[in-house]
Amino acid sequence: MTADSLVPVSDLLAHHAAVVRTSIRIVDHVTRADLRKPTPCADWTLHGLLAHMIAQHHGFAAASRGIGKAERWKTRPLGDDPAADYRASAEDVLAAFAEPGVLEREFPLPEFSPTHLFPGAQAVGFHFIDYVVHSWDVARTLGISVDFDAAVLAAARPVAAAVPGGSIRTAPGSAFGPAVPWHDTATLDEIVAMLGRAPDWRD
């Protein structure tokens, strides 16, 4: 998947920032009492999902600065204010991706490959589509709605469609499960279905 060929470079960072800011607004609703709730990510409670999301923010922020140390990607227990923990990590990646020339850099992404460097636009595209889906995951867990601009969803759909399918989707630790058949015309529902979520998921 080469996100830079699917989303105009001039729009990619703006769409990414809009998605991450939307995720902050959603996670602001989370309380510690919510952390045991199951999520559309079958292996994770909300605590596990937020810990993963926070670690990914910090990992991608480090990678954008050329730091490929695996410890930057480690999940850690949430503190007393999970929404504040999340907000701090999201601001970290937003600041990192706002630095000049980020799309022209090469990102070390040890969770994807221990040796390969990824073009900046491709790496931002990975993070972009991940947080479209994870924003939906958290919102659905909490029973609230998530709204993205039509332009964001129009950019996200071809990125989601380009994610490889097949046996990689069922491998341990795969980011996305097998596609779920879905025939609604809503773009966000189509995106999450393509990436292994049932759009009508309920706790």
Side-chain angles (χ1 to χ4, degrees):
M1 178 175 61
T2 55
D4 49 323
S5 66
L6 299 170
V7 183
V9 170
S10 58
D11 298 333
L12 180 57
L13 288 173
H15 291 328
H16 171 271
V19 167
V20 174
R21 291 190 182 105
T22 295
S23 76
I24 294 171
R25 291 193 291 272
I26 294 167
V27 175
D28 274 344
H29 292 273
V30 173
T31 67
R32 289 201 62 83
D34 295 317
L35 296 180
R36 293 186 179 182
K37 291 181 177 180
T39 73
C41 303
D43 294 334
W44 283 327
T45 61
L46 186 56
H47 184 288
L49 176 58
L50 288 179
H52 165 77
M53 292 168 69
I54 289 168
Q56 292 284 304
H57 282 327
H58 288 311
F60 271 89
S64 76
R65 296 167 176 140
I67 302 169
K69 295 179 179 179
E71 59 263 27
R72 297 295 184 101
W73 299 77
K74 287 184 178 179
T75 58
R76 292 173 173 79
L78 302 178
D80 292 335
D81 188 344
D85 291 345
Y86 182 79
R87 193 179 311 113
S89 71
E91 294 292 350
D92 184 26
V93 79
L94 286 171
F97 284 12
E99 293 175 5
V102 69
L103 296 179
E104 289 73 47
R105 299 177 188 175
E106 291 187 321
F107 282 50
L109 301 175
E111 287 205 342
F112 292 75
S113 169
T115 57
H116 182 69
L117 295 176
F118 294 83
Q122 186 179 35
V124 173
F126 290 161
H127 196 263
F128 165 62
I129 195 61
D130 213 23
Y131 282 82
V132 171
V133 176
H134 282 330
S135 296
W136 180 90
D137 289 333
V138 177
R140 189 51 59 98
T141 299
L142 297 175
I144 62 178
S145 62
V146 55
D147 297 306
F148 294 113
D149 288 345
V152 168
L153 294 177
R157 188 191 178 285
V159 179
V163 174
S167 60
I168 193 173
R169 296 284 191 99
T170 58
S174 176
F176 303 113
V180 175
W182 194 253
H183 304 292
D184 199 319
T185 57
T187 306
L188 182 56
D189 285 353
E190 183 182 14
I191 289 168
V192 299
M194 284 193 288
L195 297 177
R197 273 72 164 168
D200 57 355
W201 185 91
R202 294 287 186 278
D203 177 4

